[in-house]
C-alpha cells in the first residue's frame, strides 16, 4: 500500500534522511522505532509532502506522491496525525471533527462522529468542550478522530503515546487495534518499545536517517543488542 524507496532529505545543509526505504502493507501496523532525532518524524513529513525530498520515491496505493502537495496526498487517502496534535483550541470537539470531514471512499472504512464517539468515549463525554479544555491525552484522541473523519485508507501516527497518562496509553493501544480490525493500515512512529510491541505486526528501526533493522519483534527480542544499540536512552 505504501512504499518508500531510497529517500533522502535535508534541513538546510544538514542531511537528515540517508536512503530510507520501508513499506506498509494493507491491514498492517508497522512501528517505526528510534531515538529522538533519528529521523522518524522527518520520514513521515516527507511522505506527507510537508518536507521536500532530494532523492527517492514514495508510492501510495500505486500512485507516486513525489511532488504532490499535502492536501492532495490527504485526498488520495493517506491520513497524518502529527506529534504536535494541532487541534483548533477555540472550537468544540464536535466542531474539530467537522473540520476534518470528507466524503466516504468505496475502498476505505467510513467514520461518522457517533462511530468515533464509540471509539473514544472520553470525547463523547466532552463533545461540547473547547479543544483547549481537554487534557493532553484527550487532545491526542481528538487529533486521531479528526484525521479519521477524512476516511483514510492508511494513517501515519507520530508518537501517539508521548506525554500522555498510562491509562490513556492503554486506550490508545485498543484504538490502534480497532483501526486495524476496521481495515486501516497504520505506520506508527514510537520510542516506547513496549507500546509498539503491543500494537504492531513488525518493527523498523531508524538511526541517523537510515534503516538499521526491519523484522518481527520475536527476532528483535532474540537480539537484545540491537535494542541496546539503537533504542536505549
Amino acid at each position: 500500500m505504501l512504499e518508500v524507496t531510497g529517500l533522502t532529505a535535508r534541513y538546510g545543509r544538514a542531511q537528515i534522511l540517508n536512503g530510507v526505504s520501508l513499506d506498509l502493507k494493507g491491514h498492517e501496523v508497522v512501528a517505526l522505532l528510534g531515538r529522538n532525532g533519528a529521523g522518524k518524524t522527518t520520514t513521515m513529513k516527507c511522505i506527507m509532502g510537508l518536507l521536500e525530498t532530494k532523492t527517492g520515491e514514495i508510492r501510495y496505493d500505486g500512485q507516486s506522491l513525489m511532488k504532490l502537495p499535502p492536501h492532495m496526498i490527504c485526498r488520495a487517502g493517506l491520513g497524518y496525525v502529527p506529534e504536535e496534535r494541532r487541534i483548533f483550541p477555540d472550537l468544540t470537539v464536535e466542531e474539530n471533527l467537522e473540520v476534518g470531514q470528507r466524503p466516504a471512499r468505496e475502498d476505505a472504512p467510513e467514520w461518522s462522529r457517533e462511530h468515533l464517539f464509540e471509539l473514544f468515549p472520553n470525547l463523547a463525554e466532552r463533545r461540547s468542550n473547547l479543544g483547549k479544555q481537554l487534557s493532553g491525552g484527550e487532545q491526542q484522541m481528538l487529533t486521531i478522530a479528526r484525521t479519521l473523519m477524512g476516511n483514510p485508507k492508511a494513517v501515519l501516527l507520530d508518537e501517539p503515546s508521548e506525554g500522555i497518562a498510562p491509562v490513556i496509553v492503554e486506550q490508545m493501544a485498543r484504538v490502534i487495534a480497532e483501526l486495524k480490525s476496521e481495515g486501516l493500515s497504520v505506520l506508527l512512529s514510537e520510542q516506547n518499545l513496549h507500546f509498539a510491541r503491543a500494537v504492531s505486526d513488525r518493527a523498523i528501526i531508524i538511526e541517523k536517517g537510515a534503516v538499521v533493522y526491519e523484522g518481527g519483534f520475536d527476532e528483535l527480542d532474540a537480539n537484545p543488542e540491537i535494542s541496546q544499540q539503537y533504542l536505549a536512552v
Side-chain angles (χ1 to χ4, degrees):
M1 175 170 286
L2 176 67
E3 185 175 9
V4 177
T5 307
L7 201 63
T8 66
R10 293 175 177 271
Y11 284 123
R13 295 185 177 181
Q15 182 89 13
I16 305 299
L17 299 185
N18 299 284
V20 168
S21 296
L22 58 86
D23 69 288
L24 175 68
K25 299 177 177 63
H27 300 206
E28 183 181 41
V29 179
V30 173
L32 183 61
L33 304 173
R35 298 186 180 97
N36 270 335
K40 304 186 303 296
T41 294
T42 300
T43 299
M44 290 193 165
K45 286 184 175 180
C46 286
I47 293 171
M48 294 305 302
L50 296 169
L51 182 66
E52 183 180 358
T53 58
K54 294 300 180 182
T55 62
E57 178 62 47
I58 305 168
R59 299 191 68 81
Y60 170 70
D61 206 18
Q63 175 185 3
S64 175
L65 301 185
M66 300 298 287
K67 309 303 181 184
L68 287 182
H71 71 278
M72 292 300 296
I73 294 173
C74 289
R75 287 181 183 177
L78 189 56
Y80 176 49
V81 180
E83 182 182 4
E84 303 90 350
R85 297 166 189 161
R86 296 184 182 177
I87 62 166
F88 294 98
D90 294 319
L91 298 182
T92 67
V93 167
E94 288 193 317
E95 289 168 342
N96 266 275
L97 295 180
E98 288 174 9
V99 169
Q101 188 169 10
R102 289 196 56 80
R105 305 173 193 275
E106 292 184 0
D107 53 356
E110 182 177 357
W111 298 89
S112 65
R113 278 185 297 177
E114 293 309 316
H115 189 177
L116 289 168
F117 285 147
E118 291 175 4
L119 187 63
F120 298 101
N122 300 54
L123 297 184
E125 295 171 2
R126 309 197 67 179
R127 65 176 69 196
S128 298
N129 286 79
L130 300 179
K132 62 186 177 185
Q133 296 173 323
L134 305 181
S135 69
E138 289 167 342
Q139 290 182 3
Q140 182 70 286
M141 292 177 179
L142 179 55
T143 309
I144 295 173
R146 186 182 62 190
T147 299
L148 293 175
M149 285 291 286
N151 298 314
K153 292 176 62 178
V155 176
L156 310 185
L157 293 180
D158 195 1
E159 301 279 5
S161 73
E162 179 68 18
I164 60 177
V167 64
I168 303 296
V169 173
E170 292 179 9
Q171 292 180 35
M172 204 67 70
R174 290 195 293 271
V175 165
I176 293 173
E178 178 65 21
L179 298 186
K180 181 182 176 182
S181 71
E182 292 274 0
L184 283 177
S185 300
V186 179
L187 179 63
L188 170 76
S189 166
E190 262 300 331
Q191 293 186 69
N192 185 330
L193 182 58
H194 175 74
F195 177 78
R197 181 187 285 108
V199 301
S200 307
D201 298 301
R202 57 187 174 94
I204 297 170
I205 299 177
I206 188 170
E207 170 74 8
K208 294 181 179 179
V211 173
V212 294
Y213 171 85
E214 183 173 0
F217 284 93
D218 289 344
E219 182 182 350
L220 191 57
D221 292 340
N223 295 275
E225 67 277 4
I226 297 176
S227 297
Q228 183 63 35
Q229 182 174 357
Y230 298 116
L231 301 177
V233 177

